[in-house]
Amino acid sequence: MTISLTEYEKNLPHHEMIFVEGGEFYMGGNDVDAHDSEKPVHKVRLTSFYMGKYPVTQALWHTVMETNPSDFKEENHPVEQVSWNDTQTFLQNLNKKARKIYRLPTEAEWEFAARGGIYSQGYLYAGSDKLKDVGWYRENSENKTHPVGQKLSNELSLFDMSGNVWEWCSDWYSREYYQKCAERDVVENPIGSYSGVYRVRRGGCCLSHPQICRIGFRNYTSPGIHDDSLGFRLALSISSNEN
């Protein structure tokens, strides 16, 4: 399904949205490196949505916000040093100009998309069992971010979902939430805990060990924190694809 773009969106740099067909998957991790926070594995059903082909770049952030808070300043690198709260301001500005309702992905949407959606091959990382093929991490990054799209994509043609920068999700973080989900046969379109102290971040970054860049790995950060390894990716509901 092709997204309908306004003239404003057509001129946005590094702005490509990939259709993610809805489906069912088992969320969480049970491999040898899986942490307790990734358990228990539970069944999730998602409706279709769009996901950004790349993490939001500095060029895209600058076009919308007319600023660039990043430490590693290169227009085709992911934007970083943006808090969860900053992403909400960005989204408000973008949506006003684009006449859409862009948002952060839910944690479930992020994991489903990273796994390759309905085309998943069951890889450990987003697109491969070899992290060096798909991601920038501590062993190959020289401790800095890199231009988006240089590594291989995953099954959905999404890039940089393992490594480069952490990506904010919309959910409040809760370790107990997975247990509650596992008590049901299937959870439809989960949005995470209704309250919390921390927001979810996913994917690992250029400073991360391989275990942390695994698709199932969960992490969290205060929504006001700024960090040079922390960015985000856009999501869009199908019902929001209206001019």
Side-chain angles (χ1 to χ4, degrees):
M1 183 180 295
T2 304
I3 187 172
S4 175
L5 298 176
T6 63
E7 287 303 313
Y8 176 78
E9 291 169 291
K10 291 177 183 178
N11 293 317
L12 291 174
H14 311 128
H15 177 65
E16 297 178 58
M17 300 296 292
I18 300 295
F19 176 68
V20 181
E21 184 177 349
E24 295 181 349
F25 77 111
Y26 286 95
M27 186 172 181
N30 56 12
D31 59 85
V32 65
D33 290 318
H35 290 221
D36 289 344
S37 62
E38 302 170 38
K39 303 173 183 178
V41 173
H42 52 282
K43 192 174 185 179
V44 171
R45 180 183 300 131
L46 296 174
T47 56
S48 301
F49 59 98
Y50 293 98
M51 182 74 96
K53 186 173 185 176
Y54 311 108
V56 170
T57 63
Q58 296 174 35
L60 177 52
W61 179 278
H62 185 269
T63 299
V64 175
M65 301 292 286
E66 300 182 356
T67 62
N68 184 1
S70 304
D71 279 352
F72 303 108
K73 282 188 166 56
E74 293 288 347
E75 65 176 14
N76 59 349
H77 286 222
V79 69
E80 16 88 5
Q81 289 287 6
V82 290
S83 68
W84 190 95
N85 296 331
D86 293 336
T87 70
Q88 301 308 293
T89 303
F90 173 91
L91 291 167
Q92 290 173 8
N93 291 351
L94 174 61
N95 289 335
K96 182 178 180 180
K97 296 172 181 178
R99 303 196 302 276
K100 294 269 177 53
I101 308 178
Y102 287 99
R103 56 181 175 79
L104 294 177
T106 65
E107 185 176 15
E109 287 174 335
W110 190 96
E111 183 169 324
F112 183 61
R115 292 187 181 282
I118 63 172
Y119 304 105
S120 176
Q121 297 297 305
Y123 294 127
L124 192 61
Y125 308 104
S128 177
D129 286 327
K130 297 179 180 178
L131 181 54
K132 65 180 181 179
D133 292 341
V134 294
W136 298 105
Y137 64 114
R138 67 178 301 152
E139 294 178 15
N140 66 359
S141 70
E142 299 180 344
N143 297 325
K144 61 184 180 181
T145 64
H146 288 261
V148 299
Q150 286 195 334
K151 294 292 186 176
L152 297 178
S153 70
N154 76 349
E155 299 92 322
L156 291 172
S157 297
L158 297 169
F159 291 83
D160 297 283
M161 295 199 78
S162 291
N164 217 356
V165 290
W166 287 101
E167 299 182 9
W168 287 112
C169 294
S170 61
D171 309 39
W172 289 109
Y173 177 80
S174 170
R175 293 187 64 170
E176 295 75 23
Y177 184 70
Y178 271 31
Q179 182 61 54
K180 294 178 181 178
C181 290
E183 294 170 359
R184 302 166 60 180
D185 291 336
V186 61
V187 184
E188 298 200 28
N189 297 313
I191 59 173
S193 179
Y194 288 106
S195 63
V197 176
Y198 305 107
R199 294 287 184 176
V200 173
R201 64 177 185 174
R202 287 296 209 110
C205 70
C206 58
L207 306 176
S208 297
H209 291 282
Q211 294 90 337
I212 291 175
C213 295
R214 294 163 36 256
I215 293 172
F217 185 80
R218 306 178 72 208
N219 204 285
Y220 56 89
T221 304
S222 170
I225 288 292
H226 300 82
D227 191 283
D228 62 9
S229 63
L230 184 53
F232 69 109
R233 188 180 301 256
L234 296 175
L236 182 70
S237 300
I238 298 298
S239 59
S240 299
N241 181 30
E242 300 173 357
N243 296 342

